[in-house]
Amino acid sequence: MPSQRLPFGAWLPDERSLANPGSLTAKNVVPNGDLFLPFYGLQTTSNTSLSAYARGAISVTDTAGNEYTYAGDATKLYSLSGTGWSDISRTSGAYTSGAQTVWDFAKFGDKVIATNSVDEVQIITMGGTSFSNLTGSPTKATSIAVVGDFVVLANTDDSDTTVRWSGFGDETAWTPSPTTQSDYQQIAGNYGSIVRIIGGDRGSVFFERGIVRMEREGPPTTFGFYPSERKRGAVSFGSVCDAGNVMFYISSDDIYIFDGEQSQNLGSGKVARWFFQDADPNYYYRMSSAADLTRSLVLWSYVGAGAQVPQPNKILVYHWPSGTFSVVELETNALHAYVASGYTLEGLDAITTSLDALTASLDDPVWSPGRINIGAFNSSNNSGVFEGTPLTAVLESKEFDAQPGRVAYVDQTRPIIEGPTSTITVEHGYRANQRDEVSYDASVSMNNDGAFDIRRSARFHRVRVTIAGGFEKAFGVDLRAKINGQR
């Protein structure tokens, strides 16, 4: 009986099911070109939690090489000390974040500055005991970034289209002055409100319906503002992800990459339609994102179908070298780039008192200082990194017909999956015509020959593979089929 090879390929839910160029389902996996890799759950890095869900976080390193992580919720700012979160809020009282506000953080020298649009801008010297109001009376703002040697506030109390910047190299100078070069600009254009600003050698100001470049200029001006996108912007603060030389963002029509000059579509014809059907626009404000530069991944946490709203329950994953996607079902808040400060044996005791309960060996890099990963908070408000146990993966092949217009009999399938520790089950999907709903046979386990017995006659076939316990690489399935009436 002839065998048909069905590579999983890229996850393309927006494509047709029959003869899809890729796969129909890619859940709880990492996309990597024509392969899928395991996605690991959160390994807890704290034994204490925040008092409410995290609204932002940042990991930074000072000039002496010490790592620090800060986070904020509705009423407090925290630092991660060992494996515990310490309240280091200002001494003058709790913060009063709005229902949909977030904390935005920026590193400026050996200091961290934070803003939430409601309270006074906050500052702390790394390793300090508490945040305090930033001196110089800066306006309250939704977003903050460092552009060159200037601290820049965006969407300020002046207006939701205004940016203000500090004096050159001086985060405390906010009075407009040719001497300090501090000033402000209300950006003209029908772009809606500023959503977020991303810093660097120049700034990128993301609006609801536009993107404006903020570029350094000589006297008498300090910065010039130049539109890059006049109709397309970002749906929320957390939809914008800084990946160093480029930025990724979710707009109202697609997922994009922005190189500082122009945008390029990423999800059109692949996953964009699926995403906007799945994501709840009422809770875009709960979205967060982060880039894993080591693996060239971008992650967006969002509120999708099946969520206990407003808790984000899914993560859209994008691998930018190959342009491929996947989706992860996991409740997380405040995705952020995380730099580990390392663990002592006493610190590991705070994670668990049993070495056997650790999800990584003692020599694993997850416990080492300087380890760069993506951090997040779980729904219990504990922090972690994606180095835990592998999630149960689900991959579904394209739909195929062995010969157009003919019924085929499938008696066996063999997944092409590397990794000795995984437990694999298979469900065979079938239907008589494209208007029918797909039916699935009961899941089957591996036989003694390493294959899965199916025995199903139908016009259209597909295979759904569930992988528990982790794996190394998943490529596709071999399906043994013959046309009915043939030998």
Side-chain angles (χ1 to χ4, degrees), residues 202-213:
R202 62 182 177 181
S204 297
V205 186
F206 287 80
F207 289 78
E208 294 172 310
R209 299 183 300 276
I211 305 174
V212 174
R213 305 189 315 275

Side-chain angles (χ1 to χ4, degrees), residues 40 43 340 342-343 348 358-373 385-389:
Y40 294 89
Q43 165 68 58
Y343 292 86
L348 290 176
L358 292 174
T359 58
S361 63
L362 287 176
D363 59 355
D364 193 281
V366 69
W367 311 116
S368 303
R371 168 75 167 172
I372 299 175
N373 202 326
V385 292
F386 295 106
E387 295 279 0
T389 57

